Amino acid sequence: MKRYVFLIILLFIQIISFCQYRIDWQNCYGTIHQDYADGIVETEDGFILEGDIINTAYTWSTGILLKINSEGDTIWQTTYDKILNLCRMHNGDYMIMYPDTLLYPDTYFGNIGLRRIDADGNTIWEKAYGNEFGMTGGNFKGCATSDGGYVGCSAYCYAGGDISHYWGGTADVWVIRIDGNGDMVWETSVGTTGCEFVNSIQQTDDGGFLMAITNIVPGTGNMMCEEHQKVNGIPYLVKLDHNGNVEWSFCYGSDHHPSGIYGAIVLEDGYLLYGETRADDGDFEGAGYHLGYLYGMPTHTRLTDVYLMKTDFDFNIIWCKCYGGRGSDSAIKVFQNDDGGFTVFAATHSIDGDVQSSCLMQHDPHYYIGLHREVSWIFRVDHNGELLWERIAGNSNNLYTGTYPRDVIKHNDKEYTIASQMTYYEPGWETYDINCPYNANMPGSGINFWVYHITDIFDYDNVGEIEDNENAVSLEIHPNPANSWVTADYTLPEGFNNAVITLTNSMGLEVYTQNVNGERGQNVINLQKLPVGVYILTIKCEEHSITNKLVVTR
């Protein structure tokens, strides 16, 4: 008979050590000032980067759009007073969202300003919406709508002007929908008598909108959470219909520790929520939170883990898992893959737990827990949230450099373009990942843009058929998943008495190897010192070999 086994092969491992992806191209962009990357959108022939330039004395700032081609070469650039959100419209134009101070000049943070531009950066129209009190900070989010318009939202704290209602408390979320000419279609307020901030909004297939909102201080309003009202920091999913009415809201959280939601994905069978959490109770009980404290001191606040939470359409939790280490870890962007799993782009300070690839970074031994600066952390999980592989991205000299993703474009399950930021480096510091073709960094500057395109080279699809006959090698492992120990029962082909058993982690590193003798036998492997994750167990006997997947849990 035939036995189907998963043969997971790490491509290019002899060229790119410890790597589950390769960098196809990269470039750095910057000025003598501080250059903060905020977003990236794909165009027909490349990308537009969005960010801010702040002088080193922090006395002035300006927004910048940088058009690059598909290989990272600069096509054009233009500046505006400020940019907080950029999205591509359905006809190929672009919408810039920014804090406007012209509608009401006395507002501190400004109101919602929208500027529609063409593919060359030329302004088509510009309008502002709000009132004399303005918004409450840089929490501006928006997305294009299927009818050629746009929906934008931000936190605010008073009614009046274009804003018809306020729920009270510290801050609510104001949502405005406009048509393609900038005329208001409707506006609505979402919130409670506590405090809310919006982190993402997207249009759904029925024409409505799904919002990811973090409730900072509990209260009463048109989004309610009875179960977790004891803690400050509750992740909410809020659904609006096409007219801006709240259809439903649902919350998740803990009774003792705060969490935040950064985004959500609509799945075929439910939702995927992602963000950061300090919780190991409530909805996060058993999720695997990695306990860590600020400065490594238990008297200080807990540090965050990345979390993924999958629910059904009735809001029942299917699974919830935490990822990270004892340092702070937070999700930036998550994408669903064709196999039902997810690719996660995050930022991390950790050097332990799930972040085993931190061994690639030089870390400051005097720093409290790990990496001196946040760096990019990319990992992939299967449809059950089990970690398949993980990889830190950045520069190893992290005492001077730090990188973390600000926005990501997904091209397909294998290819992504990441807009990140990094710190100026001197020639000769181009170690590890950052190695721009030319040094766009100016001596004396601090933060610059770092844009790079990667290809996932982990082979998920190589599923082979192995004949189960007297000349084949066999390998049975149990239990699987395993906790502390796993037993490998093997049979070698007739006439063979020697083989090698290896266990490989998600980075492609061998964590266990053992020579075995005899045509049949049993090998017991101690897993107690290994991190939770997915491993590959292989037995090789000359030209014969077989590979099985092993899941280590706690």
Side-chain angles (χ1 to χ4, degrees):
M1 66 176 180
K2 293 181 178 180
R3 175 180 302 158
Y4 292 88
V5 296
F6 289 98
L7 304 177
I8 302 182
I9 301 173
L10 306 180
L11 303 179
F12 307 105
I13 197 69
Q14 71 277 16
I15 300 175
I16 310 170
S17 299
F18 315 115
C19 184
Q20 308 304 346
Y21 64 80
R22 69 169 182 263
I23 296 179
D24 298 308
W25 61 260
Q26 60 173 295
N27 236 331
C28 300
Y29 312 89
T31 68
I32 197 172
H33 305 292
Q34 309 282 359
D35 310 300
Y36 293 90
D38 289 322
I40 183 171
V41 297
E42 190 171 12
T43 68
E44 293 181 357
D45 56 351
F47 308 92
I48 295 180
L49 305 175
E50 167 252 319
D52 290 295
I53 302 173
I54 302 176
N55 71 323
T56 52
Y58 290 90
T59 57
W60 60 262
S61 67
T62 187
I64 184 171
L65 292 185
L66 184 68
K67 173 68 183 296
I68 62 176
N69 63 19
S70 58
E71 296 180 348
D73 299 321
T74 301
I75 305 301
W76 55 255
Q77 67 180 44
T78 186
T79 59
Y80 304 96
D81 289 340
K82 185 75 173 176
I83 303 173
L84 291 178
N85 187 270
L86 175 71
C87 81
R88 186 176 182 181
M89 307 295 283
H90 287 282
N91 72 337
D93 290 341
Y94 302 88
M95 190 71 76
I96 296 173
M97 194 178 191
Y98 64 94
D100 173 80
T101 56
L102 296 178
L103 181 64
Y104 294 96
D106 293 333
T107 57
Y108 185 78
F109 288 110
N111 283 283
I112 291 180
L114 295 177
R115 182 197 303 264
R116 186 163 187 160
I117 63 174
D118 62 21
D120 295 319
N122 302 307
T123 298
I124 299 172
W125 55 255
E126 182 178 10
K127 295 186 179 182
Y129 317 82
N131 61 25
E132 60 181 318
F133 304 103
M135 304 295 112
T136 61
N139 194 242
F140 287 57
K141 304 297 177 182
C143 68
T145 58
S146 57
D147 61 356
Y150 182 86
V151 62
C153 51
S154 179
Y156 74 106
C157 56
Y158 290 101
D162 295 322
I163 304 174
S164 61
H165 184 75
Y166 180 58
W167 291 98
T170 308
D172 289 337
V173 177
W174 186 49
V175 187
I176 178 174
R177 181 171 183 174
I178 63 170
D179 62 21
N181 297 315
D183 297 323
M184 186 187 301
V185 178
W186 52 253
E187 55 85 25
T188 191
S189 299
V190 180
T192 70
T193 54
C195 179
E196 290 78 38
F197 288 93
V198 60
N199 288 307
S200 74
I201 186 169
Q202 59 185 296
Q203 190 169 34
T204 53
D205 290 340
D206 62 359
F209 299 91
L210 185 67
M211 304 176 68
I213 295 177
T214 298
N215 173 260
I216 306 299
V217 179
T220 58
N222 62 351
M223 46 178 282
M224 295 296 296
C225 183
E226 298 179 0
E227 186 175 359
H228 301 296
Q229 286 289 310
K230 300 177 183 178
V231 66
N232 295 339
I234 306 171
Y236 268 89
L237 276 185
V238 179
K239 174 65 165 57
L240 306 181
D241 65 18
H242 68 285
N243 290 318
N245 303 305
V246 174
E247 285 189 39
W248 51 258
S249 65
F250 207 86
C251 71
Y252 302 89
S254 154
D255 292 332
H256 300 95
H257 307 290
S259 303
I261 181 171
Y262 291 162
I265 302 173
V266 182
L267 311 174
E268 289 184 355
D269 55 353
Y271 303 98
L272 190 284
L273 289 68
Y274 61 89
E276 63 178 28
T277 186
R278 295 178 173 90
D280 54 7
D281 65 329
D283 293 322
F284 296 95
E285 183 175 0
Y289 168 73
H290 303 80
L291 180 60
Y293 298 97
L294 183 64
Y295 306 121
M297 301 175 63
T299 54
H300 287 58
T301 184
R302 285 185 171 204
L303 298 178
T304 58
D305 264 4
V306 173
Y307 77 83
L308 302 181
M309 179 185 292
K310 184 176 180 180
T311 75
D312 60 24
F313 284 123
D314 293 322
F315 313 112
N316 301 304
I317 297 175
I318 300 173
W319 54 259
C320 179
K321 294 185 183 295
C322 293
Y323 310 88
R326 288 182 297 155
S328 59
D329 314 285
S330 57
I332 306 295
K333 206 79 175 280
V334 179
F335 300 94
Q336 187 180 26
N337 304 315
D338 291 341
D339 62 3
F342 303 92
T343 299
V344 182
F345 293 83
T348 183
H349 275 290
S350 295
I351 59 171
D352 55 7
D354 296 322
V355 197
Q356 294 298 301
S357 59
S358 60
C359 65
L360 300 170
M361 293 284 187
Q362 300 171 12
H363 60 87
D364 181 5
H366 302 293
Y367 194 55
Y368 69 94
I369 192 62
L371 300 173
H372 184 77
R373 295 178 184 266
E374 281 186 311
V375 298
S376 298
W377 185 39
I378 306 170
F379 62 92
R380 183 159 170 166
V381 302
D382 65 16
H383 67 284
N384 290 316
E386 299 293 343
L387 186 66
L388 295 176
W389 61 260
E390 56 86 21
R391 171 78 144 76
I392 274 184
N395 190 301
S396 61
N397 194 346
N398 72 88
L399 181 60
Y400 299 98
T401 61
T403 64
Y404 54 97
R406 298 294 295 171
D407 201 3
V408 184
I409 296 293
K410 177 181 178 179
H411 305 287
N412 52 58
D413 267 9
K414 296 284 190 177
E415 295 183 83
Y416 302 85
T417 300
I418 301 100
S420 181
Q421 36 193 71
M422 44 78 68
T423 307
Y424 164 74
Y425 60 86
E426 294 285 353
W429 291 1
E430 303 94 324
T431 55
Y432 195 40
D433 286 324
I434 301 177
N435 189 7
C436 295
Y438 58 86
N439 187 6
N441 308 276
M442 299 284 188
S445 69
I447 307 298
N448 296 136
F449 293 7
W450 178 44
V451 180
Y452 57 107
H453 181 278
I454 65 171
T455 297
D456 182 349
I457 59 175
F458 197 97
D459 188 357
Y460 308 90
D461 302 320
N462 192 8
V463 181
E465 299 179 0
I466 293 185
E467 297 292 339
D468 190 9
N469 55 46
E470 62 181 4
N471 293 319
V473 60
S474 69
L475 178 67
E476 300 289 344
I477 56 178
H478 56 86
N480 191 13
N483 187 314
S484 300
W485 304 85
V486 67
T487 300
D489 294 312
Y490 64 89
T491 301
L492 304 184
E494 184 178 351
F496 291 88
N497 291 287
N498 300 290
V500 178
I501 292 179
T502 58
L503 188 66
T504 305
N505 67 13
S506 60
M507 290 166 30
L509 300 175
E510 288 187 4
V511 296
Y512 173 87
T513 182
Q514 180 66 49
N515 294 316
V516 296
N517 300 304
E519 289 189 5
R520 295 176 181 271
Q522 185 178 83
N523 187 249
V524 179
I525 304 173
N526 185 350
L527 307 174
Q528 296 182 70
K529 294 184 178 180
L530 295 181
V532 170
V534 178
Y535 294 79
I536 305 303
L537 189 65
T538 302
I539 184 168
K540 183 174 179 58
C541 175
E542 294 189 6
E543 73 274 14
H544 304 283
S545 67
I546 190 172
T547 300
N548 281 337
K549 181 173 72 173
L550 170 67
V551 178
V552 176
T553 62
R554 293 289 184 264

